[in-house]
Amino acid sequence: MRRTTTRKASAIAVVAALAVGLTACSATSSASSSGNDYGTLTAGTLKIGTLSDAKPYAYTENGKLTGFEVDMATAIAKHMDLKPVFVQQEFSTLLPAVAAGSLDVAAASTSVTAERKKSVDFSDTYFIGYISIITPSGSSITKKASSLKGKRLGLMQGTLEDQYAQDHFPGVQIVRYPDNNAAKAAMQAGSIDAVFLDYPIAQDFVDQDSSIQMPINIELPEYPVAMSMHKDKPKLKQGINKAIKEIISSGEWLEIEKKYYPDAPVPDQFQPTGK
């Protein structure tokens, strides 16, 4: 009897040990899973909506998707231990897709506005845009906005620049064009004195033509750029914000930014801290 009891006891002990081990493994696995569970559409991936023809934000070059937004979204996914999967769509469809839950996020140089916040949530800011004034070389327009007074300023109709010029440039004659190329051509023909447009496009014009200069750059902190996501994704938002903070503090953000905007001024909030 004693021997039989001992064998039973040993068997029970082995079973108990296995049960404890399985429970411990299960708990560890569960903890690990919950720690990395951001509520993405597919486990382990981040489905990112972006553009394909918006240089330098997101564009296809030599068959490869690239751009500031693409590199930034890739870095964010990496910091979250997720695989980035890009879906290229028209800009107008991105926020509705995020709101409908068919995309995890959208990365398309999207400015945060009160209207957009009604349908989607946004991450912390990772870019602040600039709008710029270009002029012919030798122009009397200087870094001071007051030097625009009395000038003919060309811009694309219905843009942010259109409204900004009306609100901030008194005494300026606004001349509206269907696109930036038409405005630039008018300036070079002498019909207007300057063109008001997005900084990246302005920089591209300056880089391509030595007869053009860019005396004025205006920071737009009231229109910060962020990643959009579904309103009901708090873990995803928390993970993205943590990644953005790490990318900025380490100097990785600055490397990405200078790759696409080599001459752009850098706001203090995006300077690396090493913390």
Side-chain angles (χ1 to χ4, degrees), residues 55-245:
K55 189 176 182 178
Y57 310 127
Y59 59 102
T60 301
E61 187 171 75
N62 299 322
K64 181 182 178 182
L65 184 64
T66 188
F68 173 82
E69 289 286 348
V70 175
D71 284 9
M72 189 66 190
T74 299
I76 288 171
K78 181 180 178 181
H79 278 255
M80 297 170 71
D81 293 324
L82 297 174
K83 178 184 177 181
V85 176
F86 289 95
V87 179
Q88 295 164 271
Q89 298 183 193
E90 293 292 329
F91 183 82
S92 62
T93 69
L94 289 174
L95 293 188
V98 170
S102 59
L103 293 172
D104 287 316
V105 297
S109 193
T110 309
S111 295
V112 181
T113 67
E115 186 62 29
R116 288 172 176 168
K117 288 173 76 172
K118 292 178 182 178
S119 60
V120 297
D121 202 354
F122 285 95
S123 70
D124 289 344
T125 300
Y126 59 80
F127 191 77
I128 291 176
Y130 285 78
I131 47 180
S132 306
I133 301 286
I134 59 171
T135 70
S137 296
S139 168
S140 61
I141 295 173
T142 68
K143 292 183 178 181
K144 294 183 177 181
S146 58
S147 65
L148 290 166
K149 189 172 183 179
K151 306 293 186 182
R152 289 170 56 84
L153 181 64
L155 47 78
M156 191 191 303
Q157 185 173 2
T159 58
L160 173 64
E161 289 85 1
D162 194 340
Q163 188 59 54
Y164 191 97
Q166 295 177 59
D167 295 340
H168 296 87
F169 297 154
V172 171
Q173 183 179 347
I174 298 172
V175 184
R176 296 174 175 84
Y177 294 89
D179 56 58
N180 290 312
N181 286 319
K184 184 190 75 159
M187 179 186 75
Q188 293 181 308
S191 300
I192 55 175
D193 300 295
V195 179
F196 195 22
L197 66 175
D198 283 357
Y199 168 82
I201 302 169
Q203 185 63 57
D204 193 46
F205 284 159
V206 171
D207 290 342
Q208 293 180 25
D209 192 335
S210 60
S211 71
I212 298 174
Q213 63 184 12
M214 184 166 51
I216 299 176
N217 290 305
I218 301 165
E219 184 178 332
L220 293 173
E222 65 268 39
Y223 296 104
V225 170
M227 188 173 276
S228 60
M229 68 203 73
H230 194 278
K231 280 180 168 288
D232 191 27
K233 296 286 184 179
K235 289 184 179 180
L236 180 59
K237 181 176 181 178
Q238 183 179 10
I240 290 173
N241 286 345
K242 181 175 183 292
I244 291 172
K245 184 177 180 180

Side-chain angles (χ1 to χ4, degrees), residues 6-24:
T6 301
R7 286 178 178 174
K8 287 183 178 179
S10 298
I12 291 170
V14 171
V15 172
L18 287 171
V20 170
L22 289 171
T23 302

